[in-house]
mmCIF file of all heavy atoms in Angstrom:
data_model
loop_
_atom_site.group_PDB
_atom_site.id
_atom_site.type_symbol
_atom_site.label_atom_id
_atom_site.label_comp_id
_atom_site.label_asym_id
_atom_site.label_seq_id
_atom_site.Cartn_x
_atom_site.Cartn_y
_atom_site.Cartn_z
ATOM 1 N N GLN A 15 7.218 69.126 69.372
ATOM 2 C CA GLN A 15 6.836 69.981 68.247
ATOM 3 C C GLN A 15 7.934 70.088 67.191
ATOM 4 O O GLN A 15 7.657 70.303 66.025
ATOM 5 C CB GLN A 15 6.490 71.413 68.730
ATOM 6 C CG GLN A 15 5.266 71.500 69.575
ATOM 7 C CD GLN A 15 5.572 71.187 71.044
ATOM 8 O OE1 GLN A 15 6.713 70.965 71.433
ATOM 9 N NE2 GLN A 15 4.534 71.137 71.854
ATOM 10 N N HIS A 16 9.209 69.968 67.574
ATOM 11 C CA HIS A 16 10.331 70.158 66.651
ATOM 12 C C HIS A 16 11.276 68.956 66.683
ATOM 13 O O HIS A 16 12.489 69.115 66.579
ATOM 14 C CB HIS A 16 11.107 71.419 67.018
ATOM 15 C CG HIS A 16 10.266 72.647 67.073
ATOM 16 N ND1 HIS A 16 9.823 73.279 65.941
ATOM 17 C CD2 HIS A 16 9.778 73.347 68.125
ATOM 18 C CE1 HIS A 16 9.094 74.328 66.291
ATOM 19 N NE2 HIS A 16 9.042 74.390 67.609
ATOM 20 N N ASN A 17 10.766 67.752 66.791
ATOM 21 C CA ASN A 17 11.618 66.590 67.021
ATOM 22 C C ASN A 17 12.523 66.225 65.846
ATOM 23 O O ASN A 17 13.459 65.462 66.004
ATOM 24 C CB ASN A 17 10.797 65.380 67.466
ATOM 25 C CG ASN A 17 9.867 64.888 66.394
ATOM 26 O OD1 ASN A 17 9.801 65.443 65.298
ATOM 27 N ND2 ASN A 17 9.119 63.858 66.712
ATOM 28 N N THR A 18 12.288 66.739 64.653
ATOM 29 C CA THR A 18 13.207 66.475 63.548
ATOM 30 C C THR A 18 14.233 67.586 63.390
ATOM 31 O O THR A 18 15.162 67.451 62.592
ATOM 32 C CB THR A 18 12.443 66.320 62.212
ATOM 33 O OG1 THR A 18 11.750 67.536 61.928
ATOM 34 C CG2 THR A 18 11.470 65.158 62.272
ATOM 35 N N GLU A 19 14.090 68.672 64.149
ATOM 36 C CA GLU A 19 14.978 69.822 63.985
ATOM 37 C C GLU A 19 15.808 70.148 65.221
ATOM 38 O O GLU A 19 16.844 70.787 65.109
ATOM 39 C CB GLU A 19 14.150 71.057 63.618
ATOM 40 C CG GLU A 19 13.381 70.891 62.331
ATOM 41 C CD GLU A 19 12.361 71.996 62.130
ATOM 42 O OE1 GLU A 19 12.300 72.922 62.966
ATOM 43 O OE2 GLU A 19 11.632 71.938 61.135
ATOM 44 N N ARG A 20 15.374 69.749 66.384
ATOM 45 C CA ARG A 20 16.074 70.094 67.614
ATOM 46 C C ARG A 20 16.196 68.860 68.504
ATOM 47 O O ARG A 20 15.248 68.093 68.661
ATOM 48 C CB ARG A 20 15.311 71.166 68.405
ATOM 49 C CG ARG A 20 15.039 72.430 67.657
ATOM 50 C CD ARG A 20 16.212 73.379 67.790
ATOM 51 N NE ARG A 20 15.907 74.669 67.214
ATOM 52 C CZ ARG A 20 16.257 75.035 65.985
ATOM 53 N NH1 ARG A 20 16.903 74.213 65.212
ATOM 54 N NH2 ARG A 20 15.968 76.238 65.546
ATOM 55 N N SER A 21 17.370 68.717 69.114
ATOM 56 C CA SER A 21 17.552 67.661 70.106
ATOM 57 C C SER A 21 18.839 67.931 70.881
ATOM 58 O O SER A 21 19.694 68.703 70.449
ATOM 59 C CB SER A 21 17.612 66.272 69.452
ATOM 60 O OG SER A 21 18.787 66.124 68.690
ATOM 61 N N PHE A 22 18.961 67.263 72.022
ATOM 62 C CA PHE A 22 20.153 67.366 72.847
ATOM 63 C C PHE A 22 20.341 66.031 73.548
ATOM 64 O O PHE A 22 19.384 65.459 74.073
ATOM 65 C CB PHE A 22 20.008 68.492 73.876
ATOM 66 C CG PHE A 22 21.220 68.669 74.732
ATOM 67 C CD1 PHE A 22 22.297 69.407 74.283
ATOM 68 C CD2 PHE A 22 21.289 68.088 75.989
ATOM 69 C CE1 PHE A 22 23.429 69.571 75.072
ATOM 70 C CE2 PHE A 22 22.414 68.243 76.782
ATOM 71 C CZ PHE A 22 23.481 68.984 76.325
ATOM 72 N N THR A 23 21.575 65.528 73.560
ATOM 73 C CA THR A 23 21.900 64.267 74.224
ATOM 74 C C THR A 23 23.143 64.460 75.070
ATOM 75 O O THR A 23 24.103 65.088 74.631
ATOM 76 C CB THR A 23 22.167 63.147 73.192
ATOM 77 O OG1 THR A 23 21.018 63.000 72.362
ATOM 78 C CG2 THR A 23 22.473 61.829 73.870
ATOM 79 N N TRP A 24 23.116 63.904 76.285
ATOM 80 C CA TRP A 24 24.288 63.913 77.153
ATOM 81 C C TRP A 24 24.481 62.494 77.672
ATOM 82 O O TRP A 24 23.609 61.934 78.325
ATOM 83 C CB TRP A 24 24.090 64.880 78.304
ATOM 84 C CG TRP A 24 25.241 64.951 79.269
ATOM 85 C CD1 TRP A 24 26.510 64.457 79.095
ATOM 86 C CD2 TRP A 24 25.231 65.539 80.560
ATOM 87 N NE1 TRP A 24 27.284 64.720 80.188
ATOM 88 C CE2 TRP A 24 26.518 65.394 81.106
ATOM 89 C CE3 TRP A 24 24.261 66.193 81.294
ATOM 90 C CZ2 TRP A 24 26.856 65.865 82.366
ATOM 91 C CZ3 TRP A 24 24.596 66.663 82.547
ATOM 92 C CH2 TRP A 24 25.880 66.499 83.076
ATOM 93 N N GLN A 25 25.642 61.898 77.349
ATOM 94 C CA GLN A 25 25.974 60.545 77.785
ATOM 95 C C GLN A 25 27.214 60.598 78.665
ATOM 96 O O GLN A 25 28.171 61.304 78.339
ATOM 97 C CB GLN A 25 26.339 59.649 76.600
ATOM 98 C CG GLN A 25 25.209 59.221 75.739
ATOM 99 C CD GLN A 25 25.735 58.338 74.623
ATOM 100 O OE1 GLN A 25 26.428 58.817 73.736
ATOM 101 N NE2 GLN A 25 25.419 57.072 74.676
ATOM 102 N N THR A 26 27.224 59.827 79.731
ATOM 103 C CA THR A 26 28.393 59.700 80.590
ATOM 104 C C THR A 26 28.515 58.242 81.023
ATOM 105 O O THR A 26 27.520 57.608 81.354
ATOM 106 C CB THR A 26 28.284 60.614 81.830
ATOM 107 O OG1 THR A 26 28.208 61.969 81.378
ATOM 108 C CG2 THR A 26 29.472 60.460 82.744
ATOM 109 N N GLU A 27 29.743 57.742 80.990
ATOM 110 C CA GLU A 27 29.997 56.371 81.420
ATOM 111 C C GLU A 27 31.298 56.326 82.201
ATOM 112 O O GLU A 27 32.269 56.988 81.844
ATOM 113 C CB GLU A 27 30.087 55.431 80.221
ATOM 114 C CG GLU A 27 30.268 53.987 80.619
ATOM 115 C CD GLU A 27 30.160 53.021 79.452
ATOM 116 O OE1 GLU A 27 30.141 53.469 78.294
ATOM 117 O OE2 GLU A 27 30.103 51.805 79.713
ATOM 118 N N VAL A 28 31.309 55.547 83.292
ATOM 119 C CA VAL A 28 32.494 55.348 84.117
ATOM 120 C C VAL A 28 32.756 53.845 84.186
ATOM 121 O O VAL A 28 31.826 53.056 84.406
ATOM 122 C CB VAL A 28 32.281 55.918 85.540
ATOM 123 C CG1 VAL A 28 33.480 55.630 86.417
ATOM 124 C CG2 VAL A 28 32.007 57.406 85.480
ATOM 125 N N LEU A 29 34.023 53.461 83.988
ATOM 126 C CA LEU A 29 34.422 52.054 84.040
ATOM 127 C C LEU A 29 35.569 51.871 85.031
ATOM 128 O O LEU A 29 36.458 52.726 85.122
ATOM 129 C CB LEU A 29 34.885 51.567 82.661
ATOM 130 C CG LEU A 29 33.844 51.565 81.566
ATOM 131 C CD1 LEU A 29 34.511 51.365 80.215
ATOM 132 C CD2 LEU A 29 32.830 50.481 81.824
ATOM 133 N N ARG A 30 35.557 50.752 85.722
ATOM 134 C CA ARG A 30 36.654 50.392 86.619
ATOM 135 C C ARG A 30 37.089 48.985 86.281
ATOM 136 O O ARG A 30 36.254 48.087 86.154
ATOM 137 C CB ARG A 30 36.195 50.455 88.068
ATOM 138 C CG ARG A 30 37.320 50.179 89.047
ATOM 139 C CD ARG A 30 36.819 50.267 90.479
ATOM 140 N NE ARG A 30 37.875 50.274 91.451
ATOM 141 C CZ ARG A 30 38.640 49.244 91.767
ATOM 142 N NH1 ARG A 30 38.504 48.105 91.133
ATOM 143 N NH2 ARG A 30 39.564 49.337 92.698
ATOM 144 N N SER A 31 38.395 48.798 86.134
ATOM 145 C CA SER A 31 38.900 47.460 85.836
ATOM 146 C C SER A 31 39.901 47.030 86.899
ATOM 147 O O SER A 31 40.578 47.857 87.512
ATOM 148 C CB SER A 31 39.566 47.415 84.452
ATOM 149 O OG SER A 31 40.829 48.024 84.485
ATOM 150 N N ARG A 32 39.953 45.750 87.119
ATOM 151 C CA ARG A 32 40.945 45.145 88.003
ATOM 152 C C ARG A 32 41.491 43.934 87.267
ATOM 153 O O ARG A 32 40.733 43.077 86.826
ATOM 154 C CB ARG A 32 40.349 44.728 89.339
ATOM 155 C CG ARG A 32 41.379 44.042 90.224
ATOM 156 C CD ARG A 32 40.908 43.815 91.636
ATOM 157 N NE ARG A 32 40.734 44.996 92.440
ATOM 158 C CZ ARG A 32 41.717 45.779 92.905
ATOM 159 N NH1 ARG A 32 42.947 45.533 92.573
ATOM 160 N NH2 ARG A 32 41.453 46.802 93.680
ATOM 161 N N ARG A 33 42.813 43.915 87.135
ATOM 162 C CA ARG A 33 43.455 42.873 86.333
ATOM 163 C C ARG A 33 44.674 42.345 87.058
ATOM 164 O O ARG A 33 45.471 43.112 87.585
ATOM 165 C CB ARG A 33 43.863 43.481 84.996
ATOM 166 C CG ARG A 33 44.526 42.532 84.073
ATOM 167 C CD ARG A 33 44.802 43.216 82.748
ATOM 168 N NE ARG A 33 45.519 42.303 81.901
ATOM 169 C CZ ARG A 33 46.404 42.649 81.003
ATOM 170 N NH1 ARG A 33 46.684 43.898 80.799
ATOM 171 N NH2 ARG A 33 47.008 41.743 80.287
ATOM 172 N N GLU A 34 44.803 41.043 87.098
ATOM 173 C CA GLU A 34 46.008 40.412 87.639
ATOM 174 C C GLU A 34 47.042 40.348 86.511
ATOM 175 O O GLU A 34 46.718 39.948 85.392
ATOM 176 C CB GLU A 34 45.704 39.003 88.150
ATOM 177 C CG GLU A 34 44.724 38.950 89.296
ATOM 178 C CD GLU A 34 45.238 39.614 90.561
ATOM 179 O OE1 GLU A 34 46.442 39.505 90.861
ATOM 180 O OE2 GLU A 34 44.423 40.274 91.238
ATOM 181 N N VAL A 35 48.263 40.764 86.811
ATOM 182 C CA VAL A 35 49.342 40.723 85.831
ATOM 183 C C VAL A 35 50.572 40.095 86.476
ATOM 184 O O VAL A 35 50.696 40.050 87.698
ATOM 185 C CB VAL A 35 49.699 42.131 85.295
ATOM 186 C CG1 VAL A 35 48.526 42.733 84.548
ATOM 187 C CG2 VAL A 35 50.160 43.044 86.400
ATOM 188 N N GLN A 36 51.456 39.631 85.627
ATOM 189 C CA GLN A 36 52.734 39.110 86.088
ATOM 190 C C GLN A 36 53.846 39.938 85.458
ATOM 191 O O GLN A 36 53.748 40.342 84.296
ATOM 192 C CB GLN A 36 52.904 37.643 85.699
ATOM 193 C CG GLN A 36 51.997 36.719 86.474
ATOM 194 C CD GLN A 36 52.202 35.263 86.078
ATOM 195 O OE1 GLN A 36 52.276 34.950 84.902
ATOM 196 N NE2 GLN A 36 52.288 34.393 87.077
ATOM 197 N N THR A 37 54.883 40.183 86.241
ATOM 198 C CA THR A 37 56.055 40.891 85.749
ATOM 199 C C THR A 37 57.293 40.080 86.105
ATOM 200 O O THR A 37 57.259 39.213 86.987
ATOM 201 C CB THR A 37 56.166 42.300 86.371
ATOM 202 O OG1 THR A 37 56.180 42.186 87.787
ATOM 203 C CG2 THR A 37 55.004 43.171 85.936
ATOM 204 N N LEU A 38 58.377 40.376 85.422
ATOM 205 C CA LEU A 38 59.650 39.704 85.670
ATOM 206 C C LEU A 38 60.479 40.588 86.585
ATOM 207 O O LEU A 38 60.739 41.752 86.279
ATOM 208 C CB LEU A 38 60.380 39.476 84.341
ATOM 209 C CG LEU A 38 61.657 38.661 84.395
ATOM 210 C CD1 LEU A 38 61.373 37.255 84.924
ATOM 211 C CD2 LEU A 38 62.301 38.601 83.034
ATOM 212 N N ALA A 39 60.867 40.040 87.742
ATOM 213 C CA ALA A 39 61.682 40.791 88.699
ATOM 214 C C ALA A 39 62.726 39.861 89.291
ATOM 215 O O ALA A 39 62.381 38.852 89.911
ATOM 216 C CB ALA A 39 60.816 41.377 89.809
ATOM 217 N N GLY A 40 63.987 40.163 89.052
ATOM 218 C CA GLY A 40 65.068 39.355 89.627
ATOM 219 C C GLY A 40 65.069 37.922 89.136
ATOM 220 O O GLY A 40 65.415 37.018 89.889
ATOM 221 N N GLY A 41 64.656 37.685 87.920
ATOM 222 C CA GLY A 41 64.657 36.331 87.367
ATOM 223 C C GLY A 41 63.472 35.479 87.788
ATOM 224 O O GLY A 41 63.445 34.281 87.526
ATOM 225 N N ALA A 42 62.486 36.075 88.455
ATOM 226 C CA ALA A 42 61.294 35.339 88.895
ATOM 227 C C ALA A 42 60.043 36.111 88.473
ATOM 228 O O ALA A 42 60.079 37.329 88.275
ATOM 229 C CB ALA A 42 61.315 35.143 90.399
ATOM 230 N N LEU A 43 58.955 35.389 88.351
ATOM 231 C CA LEU A 43 57.673 36.017 88.023
ATOM 232 C C LEU A 43 57.008 36.513 89.294
ATOM 233 O O LEU A 43 56.924 35.795 90.290
ATOM 234 C CB LEU A 43 56.752 35.023 87.314
ATOM 235 C CG LEU A 43 57.152 34.630 85.904
ATOM 236 C CD1 LEU A 43 56.262 33.517 85.385
ATOM 237 C CD2 LEU A 43 57.081 35.830 84.981
ATOM 238 N N VAL A 44 56.541 37.745 89.257
ATOM 239 C CA VAL A 44 55.863 38.359 90.395
ATOM 240 C C VAL A 44 54.451 38.719 89.951
ATOM 241 O O VAL A 44 54.261 39.350 88.910
ATOM 242 C CB VAL A 44 56.623 39.631 90.859
ATOM 243 C CG1 VAL A 44 55.886 40.304 91.998
ATOM 244 C CG2 VAL A 44 58.043 39.287 91.249
ATOM 245 N N SER A 45 53.452 38.316 90.738
ATOM 246 C CA SER A 45 52.056 38.632 90.426
ATOM 247 C C SER A 45 51.622 39.868 91.198
ATOM 248 O O SER A 45 51.994 40.054 92.363
ATOM 249 C CB SER A 45 51.144 37.468 90.794
ATOM 250 O OG SER A 45 51.425 36.359 89.983
ATOM 251 N N GLU A 46 50.832 40.711 90.543
ATOM 252 C CA GLU A 46 50.265 41.877 91.201
ATOM 253 C C GLU A 46 48.920 42.191 90.576
ATOM 254 O O GLU A 46 48.610 41.739 89.481
ATOM 255 C CB GLU A 46 51.217 43.074 91.114
ATOM 256 C CG GLU A 46 51.479 43.553 89.711
ATOM 257 C CD GLU A 46 52.431 44.738 89.675
ATOM 258 O OE1 GLU A 46 52.220 45.692 90.453
ATOM 259 O OE2 GLU A 46 53.358 44.707 88.871
#
């Protein structure tokens, strides 16, 4: 009945990432 005057929206999103990286430790590359 009031779709141009009243509304409500609720959005939720969850993300998970996994990434391989390299770092410098003691003059060598270490992967984690």
Side-chain angles (χ1 to χ4, degrees):
Q15 293 84 3
H16 305 285
N17 66 359
T18 61
E19 300 168 3
R20 303 273 187 263
S21 68
F22 181 83
T23 302
W24 179 14
Q25 287 180 291
T26 299
E27 183 172 11
V28 176
L29 296 167
R30 184 179 191 289
S31 75
R32 177 170 292 290
R33 180 176 176 212
E34 297 295 323
V35 297
Q36 290 181 314
T37 56
L38 186 61
L43 290 173
V44 177
S45 294
E46 63 180 312

